[in-house]
Amino acid sequence: MAAVLRFSDPEQEDRLKERLALADLSCLPRLGLKGAGVLAWLGENGLQTAEALYAVTPIEGHGILVRIDREEVILEDGLRGQVVSRIRDRLSANPPGVYRVERPEASFLLIGSRTDEVLSQTCGHDFREPEGQVVLSRVAGVSCRLLQVEVSGIAGLRIWLDPSYSVYLWETLLGIVREDGGDAVGLGCLYPGLFQASSVKG
């Protein structure tokens, strides 16, 4: 899918992400799997799943694997990750007890030292203590999956939601972010190598 690399000049966006910024990460590849054989099959393919529900396991390429039910997981690649595409290809062998679940969620990143100020206005969950797992809560009235993260040494919050609410939540969060001196940033701000590579012609 199309994704914004920059909303403004690099120096401005770098300053914004330190204070407060909102980015759209919906383009990251994502895959859901469920079934009685899913955990064993993932193990056979080099992916170990945490015992606890909503626990997050890092995967290669800066991706994550989240166990959302006893027999259901979600995988999401980092920007240059290949795990989702590899697992998707291996599903063509129809492994027993493993079923694909489409996960077309929208996904945002709220980042910066003022992130808690936005959450205090929109979310009832207390994120002051790191949890290391996905949390189910509402943000501005929308049911979301939330995960505390760190990007380039800066604390942030990943937000996943039903895409039918994505425009509403983006506009709501962006309005609050701008009131506090922040703004939207593109993927080039979070992944500078991507911006440089995509800017080279010929």
Side-chain angles (χ1 to χ4, degrees):
M1 63 177 288
V4 177
L5 291 180
R6 291 288 188 192
F7 284 94
S8 60
D9 67 85
E11 292 77 13
Q12 170 69 4
E13 290 202 352
D14 285 341
R15 288 192 295 270
L16 286 170
K17 75 178 180 183
E18 293 279 351
R19 176 182 174 82
L20 184 60
L22 183 67
D24 186 352
L25 301 185
S26 302
C27 64
L28 296 178
R30 196 173 303 111
L31 175 66
L33 298 171
K34 68 185 303 183
V38 67
L39 301 186
W41 184 75
L42 286 173
E44 292 168 5
N45 284 275
L47 297 172
Q48 300 302 317
T49 308
E51 291 291 333
L53 294 186
Y54 304 112
V56 177
T57 303
I59 58 178
E60 64 183 76
H62 302 287
I64 58 172
L65 189 161
V66 184
R67 186 174 184 179
I68 62 169
D69 206 338
R70 189 168 61 89
E71 297 176 346
E72 184 170 2
V73 302
I74 300 173
L75 296 95
E76 184 181 86
D77 268 332
L79 197 62
R80 300 184 184 279
Q82 299 294 323
V83 175
V84 168
S85 60
R86 184 169 73 239
I87 293 297
R88 187 181 286 122
D89 289 344
R90 293 177 183 178
L91 285 172
S92 61
N94 297 315
V98 181
Y99 306 96
R100 177 174 172 171
V101 180
E102 296 299 330
R103 307 297 310 200
E105 292 103 329
S107 180
F108 305 146
L109 170 68
L110 190 63
I111 187 171
S113 61
R114 304 283 291 177
T115 294
D116 287 346
E117 298 299 319
V118 178
L119 294 175
S120 68
Q121 298 180 55
T122 59
C123 181
H125 188 82
D126 185 356
F127 284 99
R128 287 177 295 183
E129 294 297 328
E131 305 197 33
Q133 65 180 31
V134 168
V135 172
L136 305 180
S137 188
R138 289 183 178 271
V139 178
V142 178
S143 295
C144 299
R145 297 197 319 273
L146 308 170
L147 175 66
Q148 290 173 296
V149 296
E150 189 173 280
V151 179
S152 301
I154 305 171
L157 185 77
R158 287 292 306 277
I159 303 171
W160 293 271
L161 67 148
D162 188 297
S164 61
Y165 295 100
S166 59
V167 173
Y168 158 75
L169 189 59
W170 174 269
E171 292 178 345
T172 299
L173 291 177
L174 186 57
I176 298 170
V177 165
R178 284 173 170 166
E179 288 175 359
D180 203 0
D183 210 337
V185 297
L187 293 182
C189 174
L190 306 172
Y191 308 98
L194 170 73
F195 183 75
Q196 293 165 4
S198 301
S199 301
V200 175
K201 303 294 184 183

